[in-house]
Amino acid sequence: MKFLENGTVTSPKGFKAAGVIASVKPSNTTKRDIMMIASDVPCTTAAVFTKNLVKSAAVLVTKKHIENGVAQAVIANSGNANTCNADGIEKAERMAELAAENLGISADDVIVASTGVIGQVMPIEPFEKAVPEIAKLMSENGGSDACEAIMTTDTVKKESAVELTLDGKTVTIGAIAKGSGMIHINMGTMLSFVTTDAAISAEMLQSALREAVEVSYNMVSVDGDTSTNDTLAILANGKAGNEEITTRNADYAAFTEALTALCKKMAKKLAGDGEGATKLIVCSVKGAKTNSDAKGAAKAVICSSLVKAAIFGADANWGRVLCAIGYSGCNVDVEKVDVSFCSKAGEILVCKDGAGVDFSEELAKQILLENEITIAVDLNDGDGQAEAYGCDLTYDYVRINGDYRT
Amino acid sequence: MKFLENGTVTSPKGFKAAGVIASVKPSNTTKRDIMMIASDVPCTTAAVFTKNLVKSAAVLVTKKHIENGVAQAVIANSGNANTCNADGIEKAERMAELAAENLGISADDVIVASTGVIGQVMPIEPFEKAVPEIAKLMSENGGSDACEAIMTTDTVKKESAVELTLDGKTVTIGAIAKGSGMIHINMGTMLSFVTTDAAISAEMLQSALREAVEVSYNMVSVDGDTSTNDTLAILANGKAGNEEITTRNADYAAFTEALTALCKKMAKKLAGDGEGATKLIVCSVKGAKTNSDAKGAAKAVICSSLVKAAIFGADANWGRVLCAIGYSGCNVDVEKVDVSFCSKAGEILVCKDGAGVDFSEELAKQILLENEITIAVDLNDGDGQAEAYGCDLTYDYVRINGDYRT
């Protein structure tokens, strides 16, 4: 298994994509904001969605369209979430129709996604105008443009691809994602689309996706707010020519491992580019009674506003880490907990057996001034482990979110 | 029932208090940081504490001391939380001993509390030196000095008192509290001490306290972090001369009503002075299927970083309110939800039946520029209601917490 240089959603065989500037939000005249991804042939498909009771019309329409486990294209926009709108369903269905007409496929095989401001009526005109143009631009080099079109407050594009060998054939899995604010555990992303040329049944694809998401996107939090629009969809077109995966065999395991590695990489990209973030924070917990205890503790640490602010200030305030573990619900013996801070500048033990140890504040500062920080926690109480991904809390988070609509 | 002007913890009969500058944190030479409150006679007592598994030694010692339902004094400090310290219990017990020796009471009757940085060894010398001095200064006018001594990042003192008539006698209840950061639901305070001259059994006092806390301190969140040191203790010395309350009779109801009003007032003071806060946010939910659903929704709204940042920016981003209700776990029909923003500048409906309505952005801005904002939510689905208290998320929250230890 290896990651590809410049990998994206058009890296697997038989996928094309494009994105254009359509001014869904009238003030946007410089950034691509509507995109499509399509496979040459129908795909098996699987997806996971937000658990928020308030759902985008796009989520509701997509759920209906992929009920049969088949899809062939994605249409998505930024600039408007199409959520809490009386005419939302109508608009989302129209997006699917436009994609289908211009791609020559069935509207029922189109996945629809939107991201942006909640509760503003979405104009359909930009889609009527842009979709025919996008259909003409679709190419095997279009993944990156599609990725740009789903960005909102994201400062970098998040795309990647991984390659593995299944059944003697080269199989590729590619992904794009957007997500910067309103990001929390289950699902910790706004939108992500994954493509693969593997041959795999819809049932096995859903199973592999759930396994991968559990330890990647579901372990990311930026600000504790679960979006209304979260959608992670995967399309598999079988063009690699491997024997179709229909059971949990060795090929299933290899495919799931590669998909998991890809999703973890994307999850870290999301966390590190959280709104206003200057640092990626990884909380790595081991020695828990169970994996579930480890997950609970790791999530609480990366969700703590106080830990996030301390890391922003490069302040080795480990007491806040202990505090978060203490209220996480994790079954923990607080007198056994060890905590270290690590980065490429080094590693420093700051808490042993639940109490402070003498440490060099100078070295701690150096470690915390890096842009990727690991908070390593050993609960010394079993074999359970987990990792969660977050970011620091900064002035810019407040600036960005104090005036988002305008 | 009426609130007293300049009411505080020494307003009830038979209570004295004092606080001095003791430099528990060596850099502090200007603010009172150790205090005592004492009753002339032993009191019935009740308390609620943090649910964090990581607990201050002060919490552990206090729990032991009040097991018998009797206490006579409080000793508390700011500048050090005495949490995650190997010698914490020893130091907390020594605080109680010093208070007892100098007040001429039993150490088992002393409530101990600490607040400040977690995980730094607490120096005992400042207590050895200051407590005899504090004992000499104890007076019926000392409540406000005691209140100052528990402040950390608080910008204003939180104190109040309420008066009611029970059994023909005037009964007074006074309170002080500190709390600014690391504040979340259950308990939404760091420290609060309540005194009363009512005669009431320890069992009824605990019951009244639980009722009052449930709708006041337990409905406050500043940053979602549950502290390790939360302590709310009440002392009742019987000096008012009313017939002792030993059952849930009319006097119990009147006492609980007054205690609840006092705790709500204090809870709002805490929320409005949250770290970095410029505004108090009240989320008032009605029309829920149950009170518990209303509570869940109200809490989610005031805990949402995105709602908090929008209110800071005076941005009427009601979609974030809907989003928070959607993930709150509240049983809600999202297509029935109405939302208004209210302040002394007016009231404006921004969402009706789960979808946006046309509204004047100018009026919305005026309303949100006030320093006390109510987000009024009607779920139109029953009689359940609740109120929760929070504050906006500001640049100053980040500044304060990016470098708190130093």
Side-chain angles (χ1 to χ4, degrees):
Chain A
M1 185 188 88
K2 67 164 202 243
F3 282 96
L4 302 180
E5 224 172 305
N6 302 319
T8 184
V9 81
T10 41
S11 300
K13 292 181 202 72
F15 286 97
K16 296 191 177 75
V20 301
I21 303 168
S23 302
V24 174
K25 185 192 264 187
S27 61
N28 167 43
T29 54
T30 55
K31 194 189 78 64
R32 291 178 171 82
D33 56 358
I34 301 182
M35 67 84 151
M36 294 199 292
I37 306 169
S39 165
D40 296 348
V41 296
C43 303
T44 56
T45 188
V48 290
F49 300 98
T50 182
K51 294 193 172 69
N52 198 315
L53 289 184
V54 178
K55 289 179 173 57
S56 170
V59 167
L60 299 172
V61 166
T62 297
K63 279 189 167 185
K64 202 178 66 177
H65 286 190
I66 66 165
E67 252 175 10
N68 63 350
V70 178
Q72 191 165 350
V74 174
I75 180 166
N77 72 281
S78 56
N80 191 308
N82 197 17
T83 304
C84 297
N85 292 330
D87 65 355
I89 297 284
E90 190 186 313
K91 300 275 178 70
E93 290 284 17
R94 183 63 191 145
M95 284 170 68
E97 276 167 25
L98 281 167
E101 281 166 19
N102 286 281
L103 294 170
I105 63 173
S106 158
D108 281 350
D109 289 342
V110 178
I111 288 167
V112 182
S114 296
T115 178
V117 183
I118 297 172
Q120 291 186 353
V121 173
M122 191 167 78
I124 199 67
E125 298 71 24
F127 295 87
E128 303 279 359
K129 190 161 163 239
V131 175
E133 183 192 347
I134 299 172
K136 277 183 212 134
L137 292 171
M138 299 290 281
S139 89
E140 283 159 17
N141 302 314
S144 223
D145 287 353
C147 188
E148 181 186 313
I150 54 171
M151 290 167 71
T152 55
T153 51
D154 306 63
T155 65
V156 294
K157 290 189 219 177
K158 288 116 189 169
E159 49 191 343
S160 188
V162 65
E163 196 177 275
L164 72 157
T165 305
L166 283 185
D167 183 30
K169 303 291 192 319
T170 298
V171 164
T172 307
I173 316 176
I176 59 172
K178 71 80 49 179
S180 195
M182 207 178 265
I183 288 193
H184 191 46
I185 310 297
N186 302 318
M187 291 257 300
T189 177
M190 292 269 299
L191 302 182
S192 181
F193 305 106
V194 184
T195 54
T196 179
D197 46 23
I200 178 168
S201 72
E203 189 190 343
M204 288 302 103
L205 196 60
Q206 184 74 43
S207 169
L209 187 65
R210 288 219 170 273
E211 285 192 43
V213 165
E214 194 58 35
V215 294
S216 58
Y217 291 115
N218 277 1
M219 295 301 283
V220 174
S221 183
V222 168
D223 53 13
D225 276 280
T226 301
S227 148
T228 53
N229 288 47
D230 294 341
T231 299
L232 164 57
I234 182 166
L235 295 161
N237 68 7
K239 287 257 177 172
N242 62 302
E243 192 185 342
E244 191 186 10
I245 300 169
T246 56
T247 61
R248 289 186 179 76
N249 57 13
D251 283 358
Y252 172 84
F255 177 82
T256 303
E257 187 191 349
L259 180 62
T260 301
L262 179 65
C263 287
K264 274 199 183 186
K265 188 163 186 175
M266 298 297 285
K268 282 192 186 184
K269 283 177 192 263
L270 284 176
D273 191 35
E275 276 174 346
T278 67
K279 298 173 200 210
L280 168 66
I281 305 175
V282 178
C283 181
S284 173
V285 175
K286 67 177 183 179
K289 284 199 170 69
T290 65
N291 285 346
S292 163
D293 284 308
K295 272 189 188 178
K299 286 176 182 178
V301 171
I302 56 113
C303 288
S304 158
S305 292
L306 290 168
V307 170
K308 291 156 66 82
I311 298 292
F312 170 59
D315 183 16
N317 196 328
W318 60 268
R320 292 178 179 171
V321 175
L322 267 278
C323 177
I325 294 169
Y327 64 67
S328 68
C330 164
N331 183 355
V332 59
D333 179 346
V334 295
E335 292 184 357
K336 289 187 180 172
V337 181
D338 300 342
V339 178
S340 300
F341 292 115
C342 323
S343 74
K344 64 183 181 198
E347 176 171 351
I348 194 162
L349 180 75
V350 289
C351 168
K352 173 92 192 140
D353 300 330
V357 296
D358 279 337
F359 63 88
S360 156
E361 289 280 355
E362 200 186 337
L363 175 57
K365 196 84 176 174
Q366 272 173 27
I367 288 170
L368 296 177
L369 283 171
E370 294 294 326
N371 62 12
E372 188 170 333
I373 310 295
T374 297
I375 302 172
V377 176
D378 192 340
L379 302 177
N380 291 300
D381 211 18
D383 295 325
Q385 54 185 4
E387 255 184 23
Y389 313 102
C391 60
D392 55 345
L393 174 63
T394 71
Y395 298 116
D396 271 358
Y397 179 84
V398 178
R399 185 186 54 73
I400 292 164
N401 286 300
D403 193 16
Y404 178 63
R405 291 185 315 150
T406 50
Chain B
M1 187 188 82
K2 68 163 201 249
F3 281 96
L4 301 181
E5 224 173 302
N6 302 316
T8 183
V9 80
T10 40
S11 299
K13 291 182 203 72
F15 285 96
K16 296 192 176 73
V20 301
I21 303 168
S23 302
V24 174
K25 185 191 265 187
S27 62
N28 167 43
T29 55
T30 54
K31 192 189 79 65
R32 290 180 173 83
D33 56 358
I34 302 182
M35 67 83 149
M36 295 200 293
I37 305 168
S39 165
D40 297 346
V41 294
C43 301
T44 56
T45 188
V48 290
F49 300 97
T50 181
K51 293 192 175 68
N52 199 313
L53 290 184
V54 178
K55 288 179 173 61
S56 169
V59 168
L60 300 172
V61 165
T62 298
K63 280 190 167 183
K64 204 177 65 175
H65 286 189
I66 66 166
E67 251 175 9
N68 63 350
V70 179
Q72 192 165 348
V74 174
I75 180 166
N77 71 280
S78 55
N80 191 308
N82 197 17
T83 304
C84 296
N85 291 330
D87 65 355
I89 297 286
E90 189 186 312
K91 299 276 178 69
E93 289 285 16
R94 183 64 192 145
M95 285 170 68
E97 276 166 26
L98 281 167
E101 281 165 18
N102 286 280
L103 295 170
I105 61 172
S106 159
D108 281 352
D109 290 343
V110 178
I111 287 167
V112 182
S114 295
T115 179
V117 184
I118 298 172
Q120 291 187 352
V121 172
M122 190 167 77
I124 199 68
E125 297 71 23
F127 295 87
E128 302 279 357
K129 193 163 160 235
V131 175
E133 185 193 344
I134 300 171
K136 278 184 210 136
L137 292 171
M138 301 289 284
S139 86
E140 283 160 16
N141 301 315
S144 224
D145 287 353
C147 187
E148 181 187 313
I150 54 172
M151 289 167 72
T152 56
T153 50
D154 306 64
T155 66
V156 294
K157 290 190 219 178
K158 289 113 187 171
E159 49 190 343
S160 189
V162 65
E163 195 177 277
L164 70 158
T165 304
L166 284 186
D167 181 31
K169 303 293 190 320
T170 299
V171 163
T172 307
I173 316 176
I176 60 173
K178 71 81 49 178
S180 195
M182 207 177 266
I183 289 192
H184 191 47
I185 311 296
N186 299 325
M187 290 251 300
T189 176
M190 291 269 296
L191 302 181
S192 182
F193 305 105
V194 184
T195 54
T196 180
D197 46 23
I200 178 167
S201 71
E203 189 191 342
M204 288 302 102
L205 196 59
Q206 185 72 44
S207 168
L209 187 64
R210 289 220 171 274
E211 284 192 45
V213 165
E214 195 57 36
V215 294
S216 57
Y217 290 116
N218 278 0
M219 295 301 284
V220 175
S221 184
V222 168
D223 53 14
D225 277 280
T226 301
S227 148
T228 53
N229 288 47
D230 293 342
T231 299
L232 165 57
I234 181 166
L235 294 161
N237 67 10
K239 288 256 176 172
N242 63 303
E243 194 184 341
E244 190 185 9
I245 301 169
T246 56
T247 61
R248 288 186 179 75
N249 57 14
D251 283 357
Y252 171 85
F255 178 81
T256 303
E257 187 191 347
L259 179 63
T260 300
L262 179 64
C263 288
K264 275 200 181 183
K265 187 163 187 176
M266 296 298 285
K268 283 193 187 183
K269 282 177 191 263
L270 284 175
D273 191 35
E275 278 176 344
T278 67
K279 296 172 200 211
L280 167 67
I281 305 175
V282 178
C283 180
S284 174
V285 175
K286 67 177 183 179
K289 284 200 170 69
T290 65
N291 284 346
S292 164
D293 283 308
K295 271 189 187 180
K299 286 177 183 180
V301 172
I302 58 111
C303 288
S304 159
S305 292
L306 290 167
V307 171
K308 290 155 67 81
I311 298 292
F312 169 60
D315 182 17
N317 196 326
W318 60 268
R320 294 179 178 172
V321 175
L322 267 277
C323 177
I325 294 168
Y327 65 68
S328 69
C330 164
N331 183 355
V332 59
D333 179 345
V334 296
E335 293 185 356
K336 288 185 182 174
V337 182
D338 299 343
V339 179
S340 300
F341 292 115
C342 324
S343 73
K344 64 184 182 197
E347 176 170 352
I348 194 162
L349 180 76
V350 288
C351 169
K352 174 92 192 138
D353 300 328
V357 295
D358 279 336
F359 63 87
S360 156
E361 289 279 354
E362 198 185 340
L363 175 57
K365 196 82 175 174
Q366 271 173 26
I367 289 170
L368 295 177
L369 282 171
E370 294 294 325
N371 61 12
E372 188 170 334
I373 309 295
T374 297
I375 302 173
V377 176
D378 192 340
L379 302 179
N380 291 300
D381 211 16
D383 295 326
Q385 55 184 1
E387 253 185 25
Y389 313 102
C391 60
D392 54 345
L393 175 63
T394 70
Y395 297 117
D396 271 358
Y397 179 85
V398 178
R399 183 186 55 73
I400 291 165
N401 286 301
D403 193 16
Y404 177 63
R405 290 186 316 148
T406 50

